[in-house]
PDB file of all heavy atoms in Angstrom:
ATOM      1  N   GLY A 122       0.821  -1.234  -0.029  1.00 81.00           N
ATOM      2  CA  GLY A 122       0.019  -0.016  -0.021  1.00 81.00           C
ATOM      3  C   GLY A 122       0.793   1.287  -0.056  1.00 81.00           C
ATOM      4  O   GLY A 122       0.410   2.241  -0.482  1.00 81.00           O
ATOM      5  N   PHE A 123       2.056   1.164   0.502  1.00 86.00           N
ATOM      6  CA  PHE A 123       2.805   2.441   0.634  1.00 86.00           C
ATOM      7  C   PHE A 123       4.168   2.395   0.036  1.00 86.00           C
ATOM      8  O   PHE A 123       4.783   3.449  -0.213  1.00 86.00           O
ATOM      9  CB  PHE A 123       3.283   2.587   2.193  1.00 86.00           C
ATOM     10  CG  PHE A 123       2.070   3.101   2.921  1.00 86.00           C
ATOM     11  CD1 PHE A 123       1.266   2.249   3.748  1.00 86.00           C
ATOM     12  CD2 PHE A 123       1.597   4.463   2.906  1.00 86.00           C
ATOM     13  CE1 PHE A 123       0.252   2.596   4.459  1.00 86.00           C
ATOM     14  CE2 PHE A 123       0.552   4.880   3.691  1.00 86.00           C
ATOM     15  CZ  PHE A 123      -0.128   3.863   4.450  1.00 86.00           C
ATOM     16  N   ALA A 124       4.488   1.215  -0.790  1.00 86.00           N
ATOM     17  CA  ALA A 124       5.793   1.291  -1.470  1.00 86.00           C
ATOM     18  C   ALA A 124       6.059   2.308  -2.424  1.00 86.00           C
ATOM     19  O   ALA A 124       7.201   2.841  -2.473  1.00 86.00           O
ATOM     20  CB  ALA A 124       5.950  -0.123  -2.130  1.00 86.00           C
ATOM     21  N   LYS A 125       5.059   2.694  -3.219  1.00 89.00           N
ATOM     22  CA  LYS A 125       5.309   3.731  -4.265  1.00 89.00           C
ATOM     23  C   LYS A 125       5.450   5.119  -3.604  1.00 89.00           C
ATOM     24  O   LYS A 125       5.839   6.101  -4.407  1.00 89.00           O
ATOM     25  CB  LYS A 125       4.195   3.675  -5.187  1.00 89.00           C
ATOM     26  CG  LYS A 125       4.178   2.393  -6.028  1.00 89.00           C
ATOM     27  CD  LYS A 125       3.039   2.418  -7.113  1.00 89.00           C
ATOM     28  CE  LYS A 125       3.019   1.091  -7.961  1.00 89.00           C
ATOM     29  NZ  LYS A 125       1.819   1.106  -8.889  1.00 89.00           N
ATOM     30  N   GLU A 126       5.140   5.346  -2.402  1.00 91.00           N
ATOM     31  CA  GLU A 126       5.217   6.642  -1.742  1.00 91.00           C
ATOM     32  C   GLU A 126       6.310   6.804  -0.810  1.00 91.00           C
ATOM     33  O   GLU A 126       6.407   7.852  -0.212  1.00 91.00           O
ATOM     34  CB  GLU A 126       3.805   6.970  -1.044  1.00 91.00           C
ATOM     35  CG  GLU A 126       2.582   6.906  -2.042  1.00 91.00           C
ATOM     36  CD  GLU A 126       1.325   6.945  -1.179  1.00 91.00           C
ATOM     37  OE1 GLU A 126       1.356   6.803   0.038  1.00 91.00           O
ATOM     38  OE2 GLU A 126       0.363   7.263  -1.802  1.00 91.00           O
ATOM     39  N   CYS A 127       7.157   5.849  -0.699  1.00 93.00           N
ATOM     40  CA  CYS A 127       8.224   5.909   0.440  1.00 93.00           C
ATOM     41  C   CYS A 127       9.430   6.762  -0.122  1.00 93.00           C
ATOM     42  O   CYS A 127       9.943   6.584  -1.103  1.00 93.00           O
ATOM     43  CB  CYS A 127       8.622   4.423   0.837  1.00 93.00           C
ATOM     44  SG  CYS A 127       7.477   3.510   1.662  1.00 93.00           S
ATOM     45  N   ALA A 128       9.860   7.534   0.803  1.00 94.00           N
ATOM     46  CA  ALA A 128      11.171   8.236   0.670  1.00 94.00           C
ATOM     47  C   ALA A 128      12.147   7.456   1.441  1.00 94.00           C
ATOM     48  O   ALA A 128      11.985   6.984   2.579  1.00 94.00           O
ATOM     49  CB  ALA A 128      11.057   9.746   1.292  1.00 94.00           C
ATOM     50  N   VAL A 129      13.334   7.143   0.817  1.00 96.00           N
ATOM     51  CA  VAL A 129      14.347   6.153   1.319  1.00 96.00           C
ATOM     52  C   VAL A 129      15.597   6.918   1.688  1.00 96.00           C
ATOM     53  O   VAL A 129      16.184   7.546   0.818  1.00 96.00           O
ATOM     54  CB  VAL A 129      14.485   4.966   0.445  1.00 96.00           C
ATOM     55  CG1 VAL A 129      15.439   3.995   1.132  1.00 96.00           C
ATOM     56  CG2 VAL A 129      13.225   4.331   0.096  1.00 96.00           C
ATOM     57  N   VAL A 130      16.101   6.775   2.883  1.00 96.00           N
ATOM     58  CA  VAL A 130      17.513   7.292   3.313  1.00 96.00           C
ATOM     59  C   VAL A 130      18.469   6.185   3.038  1.00 96.00           C
ATOM     60  O   VAL A 130      18.300   5.164   3.608  1.00 96.00           O
ATOM     61  CB  VAL A 130      17.387   7.755   4.704  1.00 96.00           C
ATOM     62  CG1 VAL A 130      18.846   8.357   5.092  1.00 96.00           C
ATOM     63  CG2 VAL A 130      16.418   8.686   5.015  1.00 96.00           C
ATOM     64  N   THR A 131      19.405   6.525   2.152  1.00 97.00           N
ATOM     65  CA  THR A 131      20.480   5.505   1.876  1.00 97.00           C
ATOM     66  C   THR A 131      21.863   5.861   2.415  1.00 97.00           C
ATOM     67  O   THR A 131      22.747   5.020   2.690  1.00 97.00           O
ATOM     68  CB  THR A 131      20.606   5.376   0.417  1.00 97.00           C
ATOM     69  OG1 THR A 131      20.927   6.567  -0.132  1.00 97.00           O
ATOM     70  CG2 THR A 131      19.275   4.838  -0.299  1.00 97.00           C
ATOM     71  N   HIS A 132      22.251   7.072   2.639  1.00 96.00           N
ATOM     72  CA  HIS A 132      23.492   7.503   3.260  1.00 96.00           C
ATOM     73  C   HIS A 132      23.303   8.522   4.347  1.00 96.00           C
ATOM     74  O   HIS A 132      22.352   9.144   4.499  1.00 96.00           O
ATOM     75  CB  HIS A 132      24.281   8.150   2.098  1.00 96.00           C
ATOM     76  CG  HIS A 132      24.565   7.350   0.863  1.00 96.00           C
ATOM     77  ND1 HIS A 132      23.746   6.831   0.013  1.00 96.00           N
ATOM     78  CD2 HIS A 132      25.807   6.845   0.612  1.00 96.00           C
ATOM     79  CE1 HIS A 132      24.501   6.037  -0.874  1.00 96.00           C
ATOM     80  NE2 HIS A 132      25.724   6.041  -0.548  1.00 96.00           N
ATOM     81  N   HIS A 133      24.405   8.644   5.144  1.00 96.00           N
ATOM     82  CA  HIS A 133      24.341   9.387   6.309  1.00 96.00           C
ATOM     83  C   HIS A 133      25.311  10.580   6.387  1.00 96.00           C
ATOM     84  O   HIS A 133      25.524  11.226   7.272  1.00 96.00           O
ATOM     85  CB  HIS A 133      24.524   8.548   7.525  1.00 96.00           C
ATOM     86  CG  HIS A 133      25.897   8.005   7.694  1.00 96.00           C
ATOM     87  ND1 HIS A 133      26.902   8.812   8.232  1.00 96.00           N
ATOM     88  CD2 HIS A 133      26.331   6.854   7.457  1.00 96.00           C
ATOM     89  CE1 HIS A 133      27.980   7.909   8.290  1.00 96.00           C
ATOM     90  NE2 HIS A 133      27.695   6.718   7.709  1.00 96.00           N
ATOM     91  N   ARG A 134      26.003  10.893   5.137  1.00 95.00           N
ATOM     92  CA  ARG A 134      27.065  11.870   5.138  1.00 95.00           C
ATOM     93  C   ARG A 134      27.272  12.474   3.800  1.00 95.00           C
ATOM     94  O   ARG A 134      27.163  11.766   2.732  1.00 95.00           O
ATOM     95  CB  ARG A 134      28.293  11.258   5.732  1.00 95.00           C
ATOM     96  CG  ARG A 134      29.480  12.379   5.791  1.00 95.00           C
ATOM     97  CD  ARG A 134      30.570  11.745   6.700  1.00 95.00           C
ATOM     98  NE  ARG A 134      31.298  10.636   6.038  1.00 95.00           N
ATOM     99  CZ  ARG A 134      31.480   9.293   6.616  1.00 95.00           C
ATOM    100  NH1 ARG A 134      31.149   9.275   7.810  1.00 95.00           N
ATOM    101  NH2 ARG A 134      32.006   8.617   5.936  1.00 95.00           N
ATOM    102  N   LEU A 135      27.493  13.681   3.797  1.00 95.00           N
ATOM    103  CA  LEU A 135      27.950  14.400   2.493  1.00 95.00           C
ATOM    104  C   LEU A 135      29.349  14.770   2.500  1.00 95.00           C
ATOM    105  O   LEU A 135      30.078  14.783   3.529  1.00 95.00           O
ATOM    106  CB  LEU A 135      27.149  15.660   2.396  1.00 95.00           C
ATOM    107  CG  LEU A 135      25.645  15.655   2.182  1.00 95.00           C
ATOM    108  CD1 LEU A 135      25.081  17.112   2.223  1.00 95.00           C
ATOM    109  CD2 LEU A 135      25.242  14.899   1.030  1.00 95.00           C
ATOM    110  N   MET A 136      29.899  15.007   1.317  1.00 93.00           N
ATOM    111  CA  MET A 136      31.355  15.373   1.201  1.00 93.00           C
ATOM    112  C   MET A 136      31.563  16.451   0.049  1.00 93.00           C
ATOM    113  O   MET A 136      30.657  16.427  -0.813  1.00 93.00           O
ATOM    114  CB  MET A 136      32.221  14.181   1.018  1.00 93.00           C
ATOM    115  CG  MET A 136      31.966  13.452  -0.235  1.00 93.00           C
ATOM    116  SD  MET A 136      32.911  12.023  -0.527  1.00 93.00           S
ATOM    117  CE  MET A 136      34.380  12.742  -1.035  1.00 93.00           C
ATOM    118  N   ASN A 137      32.596  17.158   0.003  1.00 93.00           N
ATOM    119  CA  ASN A 137      33.010  17.961  -1.089  1.00 93.00           C
ATOM    120  C   ASN A 137      33.336  17.224  -2.191  1.00 93.00           C
ATOM    121  O   ASN A 137      34.203  16.150  -2.050  1.00 93.00           O
ATOM    122  CB  ASN A 137      34.008  19.012  -0.725  1.00 93.00           C
ATOM    123  CG  ASN A 137      33.548  20.087   0.249  1.00 93.00           C
ATOM    124  OD1 ASN A 137      32.420  20.524   0.048  1.00 93.00           O
ATOM    125  ND2 ASN A 137      34.405  20.408   1.369  1.00 93.00           N
ATOM    126  N   ASP A 138      32.864  17.482  -3.415  1.00 90.00           N
ATOM    127  CA  ASP A 138      33.121  16.548  -4.566  1.00 90.00           C
ATOM    128  C   ASP A 138      34.648  16.985  -4.911  1.00 90.00           C
ATOM    129  O   ASP A 138      35.054  18.217  -5.012  1.00 90.00           O
ATOM    130  CB  ASP A 138      32.307  17.035  -5.783  1.00 90.00           C
ATOM    131  CG  ASP A 138      32.565  16.275  -6.981  1.00 90.00           C
ATOM    132  OD1 ASP A 138      33.455  15.484  -6.965  1.00 90.00           O
ATOM    133  OD2 ASP A 138      31.753  16.621  -7.999  1.00 90.00           O
ATOM    134  N   PRO A 139      35.543  15.826  -5.032  1.00 88.00           N
ATOM    135  CA  PRO A 139      36.919  16.066  -5.405  1.00 88.00           C
ATOM    136  C   PRO A 139      37.141  16.717  -6.665  1.00 88.00           C
ATOM    137  O   PRO A 139      38.095  17.439  -6.883  1.00 88.00           O
ATOM    138  CB  PRO A 139      37.470  14.631  -5.495  1.00 88.00           C
ATOM    139  CG  PRO A 139      36.623  13.906  -4.616  1.00 88.00           C
ATOM    140  CD  PRO A 139      35.247  14.393  -4.811  1.00 88.00           C
ATOM    141  N   ASP A 140      36.090  16.680  -7.566  1.00 86.00           N
ATOM    142  CA  ASP A 140      36.235  17.324  -8.840  1.00 86.00           C
ATOM    143  C   ASP A 140      35.580  18.767  -8.916  1.00 86.00           C
ATOM    144  O   ASP A 140      35.694  19.403  -9.970  1.00 86.00           O
ATOM    145  CB  ASP A 140      35.424  16.505  -9.922  1.00 86.00           C
ATOM    146  CG  ASP A 140      36.047  15.052 -10.146  1.00 86.00           C
ATOM    147  OD1 ASP A 140      37.187  14.938 -10.051  1.00 86.00           O
ATOM    148  OD2 ASP A 140      35.188  14.273 -10.444  1.00 86.00           O
ATOM    149  N   GLY A 141      35.318  19.194  -7.696  1.00 85.00           N
ATOM    150  CA  GLY A 141      34.813  20.626  -7.527  1.00 85.00           C
ATOM    151  C   GLY A 141      33.531  20.833  -7.948  1.00 85.00           C
ATOM    152  O   GLY A 141      33.210  22.094  -8.270  1.00 85.00           O
ATOM    153  N   ASN A 142      32.572  19.947  -7.924  1.00 85.00           N
ATOM    154  CA  ASN A 142      31.163  20.071  -8.315  1.00 85.00           C
ATOM    155  C   ASN A 142      30.315  20.162  -7.165  1.00 85.00           C
ATOM    156  O   ASN A 142      29.194  19.739  -7.238  1.00 85.00           O
ATOM    157  CB  ASN A 142      30.761  18.970  -9.212  1.00 85.00           C
ATOM    158  CG  ASN A 142      31.561  18.947 -10.520  1.00 85.00           C
ATOM    159  OD1 ASN A 142      31.770  19.839 -11.243  1.00 85.00           O
ATOM    160  ND2 ASN A 142      31.950  17.674 -11.002  1.00 85.00           N
ATOM    161  N   GLY A 143      30.798  21.003  -6.129  1.00 91.00           N
ATOM    162  CA  GLY A 143      29.874  21.127  -4.910  1.00 91.00           C
ATOM    163  C   GLY A 143      29.932  19.965  -3.992  1.00 91.00           C
ATOM    164  O   GLY A 143      30.870  19.237  -3.930  1.00 91.00           O
ATOM    165  N   VAL A 144      28.861  19.837  -3.430  1.00 93.00           N
ATOM    166  CA  VAL A 144      28.655  18.696  -2.351  1.00 93.00           C
ATOM    167  C   VAL A 144      28.046  17.464  -3.011  1.00 93.00           C
ATOM    168  O   VAL A 144      27.055  17.560  -3.678  1.00 93.00           O
ATOM    169  CB  VAL A 144      27.714  19.265  -1.175  1.00 93.00           C
ATOM    170  CG1 VAL A 144      27.649  18.169  -0.095  1.00 93.00           C
ATOM    171  CG2 VAL A 144      28.466  20.422  -0.484  1.00 93.00           C
ATOM    172  N   VAL A 145      28.506  16.345  -2.661  1.00 94.00           N
ATOM    173  CA  VAL A 145      28.074  15.044  -3.059  1.00 94.00           C
ATOM    174  C   VAL A 145      27.840  14.132  -1.964  1.00 94.00           C
ATOM    175  O   VAL A 145      28.404  14.397  -0.901  1.00 94.00           O
ATOM    176  CB  VAL A 145      29.014  14.430  -4.176  1.00 94.00           C
ATOM    177  CG1 VAL A 145      29.028  15.261  -5.453  1.00 94.00           C
ATOM    178  CG2 VAL A 145      30.347  14.068  -3.551  1.00 94.00           C
TER     179      VAL A 145
END
């Protein structure tokens, strides 16, 4: 009933992109 509406958290941290494209 809810599968298509779920927001899923997969990661717990951001980092600066080594290639200089902001935060990834």
